[in-house]
Amino acid sequence: MKRIMAIAFTITTVAALASMGGCQTLTDTPGANANRVGLTMDNNLREVPSSAEDVLLLDRPSTLTKAPVPLH
């Protein structure tokens, strides 16, 4: 039983690492892949403040009360 669990764990770990690591396709070079990943990360990180404002309801007043809510 230990051997089966160890094999299953190893296969799962290898599959998880392979899926997270990415791979080179026939059309992309490692440099092009790194460039695309870098641009995507840059775009995602630029949206973090906007997303945080949406989550914290900082960009618009809450609609949970009928009383006026001061902006500052």
Side-chain angles (χ1 to χ4, degrees):
M1 187 68 171
K2 276 185 169 181
R3 184 174 184 187
I4 293 172
M5 293 300 287
I7 292 171
F9 177 75
T10 304
I11 291 171
T12 304
T13 304
V14 168
L17 290 176
S19 68
M20 287 188 287
C23 61
Q24 179 180 350
T25 63
L26 296 175
T27 59
D28 281 348
T29 62
N33 191 25
N35 190 21
R36 184 176 53 249
V37 169
L39 290 172
T40 303
M41 289 297 294
D42 186 45
N43 286 336
N44 288 343
L45 290 175
R46 287 181 188 202
E47 291 296 323
V48 168
S50 175
S51 299
E53 287 177 356
D54 290 343
V55 169
L56 298 174
L57 298 175
L58 295 177
D59 58 343
R60 58 189 178 276
S62 174
T63 57
L64 299 175
T65 181
K66 294 183 183 205
V69 178
L71 293 177
H72 296 285

